[in-house]
Amino acid sequence: MRQWRLVHPGLDTGPMEVIGRINRCAALLQQAEDAPLRRAGLSRPEFDLLGALRRTGHELTPGELARETFSSGAAVTKRLKQLTERGLVERRGDARDRRVVHLRLTDAGRDLVDGILPVQLAYETAVLSGLDGPEQGELAALLGELLSQLEGRLGVLRA
């Protein structure tokens, strides 16, 4: 930021400072690749799908899963195929509309999520250990506020 201020002293680089740090944090977290998930043979997006099925407590359609996990339909379809082949998710056709598929965790899927969740949370706690409880809460609240704003405006900003 100091370098930009030297080149363009009249420009406010504050937004770049925030966005740059968010992007850098995201990149570092992706590089770490969620070690507990990796050891369990899962990617973060796969765990997100399994987690959505577990925490909602009921069957979901692929479209509902896509909305729940902020994923594209194609990405959900690909991940569901893999998770179904591994015996973690099962599909059930809709009795009234054969085009609709309902998804739920198998016992193995539920056991995997329930087993990995405490380990993953311990890992994430360690990742955030440099921030105390109130700082984590403040950061979560600020990021939640930013996320709400972006979710409402992102389409407008892309145009």
Side-chain angles (χ1 to χ4, degrees):
M1 295 302 102
R2 279 188 304 250
Q3 292 169 335
W4 277 120
R5 282 192 287 273
L6 289 173
V7 174
H8 291 287
L11 291 179
D12 176 12
T13 58
M16 186 182 285
E17 196 170 349
V18 172
I19 300 299
R21 287 178 176 163
I22 290 171
N23 286 337
R24 180 77 176 133
C25 285
L28 289 169
L29 289 168
Q30 287 175 346
Q31 285 175 7
E33 294 183 12
D34 297 308
L37 298 179
R38 191 176 59 247
R39 283 192 298 272
L42 292 173
S43 66
R44 169 59 81 157
E46 289 171 333
F47 179 73
D48 289 345
L49 288 180
L50 296 173
L53 288 168
R54 181 66 173 121
R55 72 175 180 269
T56 59
H58 57 82
E59 294 180 345
L60 296 173
T61 65
E64 291 168 335
L65 259 180
R67 284 187 294 281
E68 188 72 28
T69 60
F70 301 102
S71 301
S72 72
V76 167
T77 298
K78 178 182 175 186
R79 291 178 193 127
L80 284 172
K81 182 179 186 297
Q82 295 166 338
L83 294 170
T84 301
E85 289 171 356
R86 290 176 58 190
L88 302 173
V89 173
E90 62 186 16
R91 304 165 160 279
R92 180 184 63 78
D94 189 279
R96 294 182 303 242
D97 186 345
R98 284 188 274 171
R99 296 171 296 173
V100 177
V101 174
H102 298 275
L103 305 156
R104 67 178 174 186
L105 290 177
T106 62
D107 290 342
R110 186 174 49 258
D111 291 347
L112 179 63
V113 171
D114 290 349
I116 193 72
L117 184 61
V119 179
Q120 181 64 23
L121 287 172
Y123 169 78
E124 292 178 6
T125 298
V127 167
L128 296 174
S129 65
L131 301 174
D132 65 22
E135 289 172 325
Q136 287 183 30
E138 184 178 347
L139 180 59
L142 289 170
L143 290 172
E145 200 172 304
L146 177 61
L147 185 58
S148 291
Q149 291 175 21
L150 290 174
E151 287 173 341
R153 296 188 331 219
L154 195 56
V156 174
L157 293 174
R158 285 185 191 182

